[in-house]
């Protein structure tokens, strides 16, 4: 029992910190913070680049879509113009013949 | 069992009519080299849908066109203009005409001008009491135009497009001094 009490007392007894312990702890904390900051900056940069690439791809797709759409509209206009003109010519000839 | 057989026979018989579309023969593309002016427009269902997306819902002309192309599956136009007559033969047009001389298609107009040598034909594809396609074939000594429109179309709507959507309003009144047509 005495042995146990002695062990407990030793364990709970205040011990002096080794010299420079506090400085080492602060240095370790500072280093850890610095590493985390550098890592965070790289992650932010990568995310920004990814977002930029996504935005650019979306913009390019929209531009290509618009160009193709406008071209299709112009072709449609031309096709309808030819169709209407030919039909009108035929209609006019038929009317002329009837008269 | 008899009902299934009847449906199957009817489906086999009607399937070719549904699938009957005018194929522009590749031989016509060879005429492009001889032609002074060529118009080649191919608008399949996807391109029509794309073009439709770029038509405004507010512009009355665009709305009219949107309505017109709503039921279409394709518009195909080949037009060749030549410097001199005889650059193409009847045999070049025959494959197209042969496709139109089928039960699915009916010729509604045929105009032949002896004076100018122009020959114009309008065909419609009918089914279920509706027009399911329109084909125009215009042959002239110095010009050849083939228009094929697939899908449900109202010719009156086409006519109304004159003067709108950049399409010139065409006067269909009798021209003074027009040649004798038959």
């Amino acid at each position: 029992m005495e042995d146990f009490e002695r062990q407990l007392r030793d364990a709970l007894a205040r011990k002096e910190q080794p010299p420079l312990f506090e400085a080492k702890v602060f240095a370790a904390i500072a280093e850890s913070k610095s590493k985390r900051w550098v890592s965070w900056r790289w992650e932010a940069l990568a995310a920004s680049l990814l977002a930029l690439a996504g935005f650019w791809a979306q913009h390019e797709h929209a531009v290509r879509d618009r160009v193709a759409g406008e071209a299709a509209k112009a072709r449609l206009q031309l096709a309808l113009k030819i169709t209407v003109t030919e039909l009108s010519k035929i209609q006019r000839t038929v009317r002329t013949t009837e008269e | 069992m008899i009902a299934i057989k009847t449906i199957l026979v009817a489906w086999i018989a009607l399937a070719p009519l549904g699938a009957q579309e005018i194929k522009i023969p590749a031989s016509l593309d060879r005429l492009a080299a001889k032609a002074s002016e060529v118009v080649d427009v191919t608008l399949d269902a996807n391109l029509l849908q794309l073009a439709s997306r770029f038509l405004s819902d507010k512009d009355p002309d665009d709305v009219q066109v949107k309505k017109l192309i709503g039921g279409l599956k394709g518009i195909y136009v080949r037009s060749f203009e030549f410097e001199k007559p005889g650059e193409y033969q009847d045999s070049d047009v025959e494959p197209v005409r042969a496709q139109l001389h089928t039960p699915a298609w009916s010729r509604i107009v045929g105009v032949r001008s002896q004076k100018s040598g122009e020959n114009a034909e309008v065909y419609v594809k009918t089914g279920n009491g509706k027009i399911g396609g329109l084909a125009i074939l215009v042959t002239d000594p110095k010009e050849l135009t083939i228009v094929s429109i697939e899908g449900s179309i109202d010719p009156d709507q086409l006519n109304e497009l004159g003067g709108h959507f950049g399409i010139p309003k065409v006067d269909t009144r009798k021209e003074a001094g027009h040649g004798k047509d038959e």
Side-chain angles (χ1 to χ4, degrees):
Chain A
M1 191 65 183
E2 278 180 9
D3 189 43
F4 173 71
E5 282 175 357
R6 189 176 48 79
Q7 279 179 11
L8 188 66
R9 201 168 41 245
D10 286 350
L12 294 174
R14 183 181 171 83
K15 286 176 185 167
E16 284 302 316
Q17 299 297 341
L20 298 175
F21 174 77
E22 204 170 294
K24 277 181 184 171
V25 169
F26 283 129
I29 290 169
E31 193 183 359
S32 163
K33 268 187 183 173
S34 170
K35 272 183 185 167
R36 220 180 303 153
W37 168 243
V38 170
S39 163
W40 181 85
R41 273 194 303 184
W42 278 113
E43 279 166 16
L45 187 69
S48 303
L49 284 174
L50 206 65
L52 199 68
F55 174 77
W56 179 253
Q58 200 178 9
H59 173 72
E60 278 291 292
H61 181 74
V63 167
R64 248 181 285 139
D65 203 36
R66 179 151 198 91
V67 168
E70 291 294 347
K73 187 180 165 182
R75 274 189 275 174
L76 173 67
Q77 197 168 2
L78 177 64
L80 290 176
K81 186 178 171 180
I82 291 171
T83 307
V84 172
T85 306
E86 292 298 345
L87 276 178
S88 302
K89 271 160 65 180
I90 294 166
Q91 200 175 355
R92 193 168 49 203
T93 311
V94 169
R95 282 190 186 171
T96 308
T97 312
E98 281 172 356
E99 284 165 15
Chain B
M1 189 64 184
I2 292 168
I4 293 170
K5 269 186 185 173
T6 311
I7 291 167
L8 199 65
V9 168
W11 180 75
I12 290 167
L14 293 173
L17 294 180
Q20 214 147 21
E21 290 156 1
I22 302 300
K23 298 274 182 290
I24 308 278
S27 60
L28 276 183
D29 294 335
R30 284 202 295 269
L31 296 177
K34 299 177 190 173
S36 54
E37 266 186 57
V38 180
V39 175
D40 181 345
V41 180
T42 299
L43 288 162
D44 59 13
N46 290 335
L47 280 173
L48 282 175
Q49 208 176 1
L50 180 66
S52 179
R53 273 172 41 207
F54 286 84
L55 292 169
S56 165
D57 287 323
K58 290 171 188 167
D59 185 331
D61 291 359
D62 282 12
V63 170
Q64 205 175 350
V65 173
K66 216 171 190 175
K67 200 174 155 191
L68 175 82
I69 65 168
L72 298 186
K73 293 174 192 164
I75 303 179
Y76 306 93
V77 177
R78 297 286 185 284
S79 186
F80 305 94
E81 269 186 48
F82 304 98
E83 288 290 340
K84 55 182 193 290
E87 292 285 5
Y88 73 93
Q89 308 301 317
D90 271 350
S91 57
D92 293 317
V93 191
E94 207 42 54
V96 177
R97 207 172 264 134
Q99 292 178 68
L100 295 166
H101 290 168
T102 52
W105 291 90
S106 312
R107 194 173 85 155
I108 56 165
V109 180
V111 179
R112 193 151 55 102
S113 170
Q114 280 185 327
K115 191 183 174 186
S116 65
E118 189 179 310
N119 192 353
E121 293 164 276
V122 180
Y123 294 82
V124 290
K125 186 166 74 172
T126 47
N128 303 325
K130 284 196 298 184
I131 295 177
L134 178 83
I136 304 168
L137 191 57
V138 179
T139 55
D140 183 275
K142 288 163 71 176
E143 191 188 326
L144 169 63
T145 301
I146 298 164
V147 176
S148 169
I149 299 177
E150 289 169 18
S152 177
I153 185 165
D154 180 0
D156 285 340
Q157 276 186 329
L158 260 179
N159 225 9
E160 285 166 13
L161 283 180
H164 305 280
F165 196 61
I167 297 165
K169 189 165 179 60
V170 187
D171 188 8
T172 55
R173 287 173 303 175
K174 183 182 174 182
E175 264 185 328
H178 196 276
K180 186 186 172 188
D181 298 307
E182 62 173 32

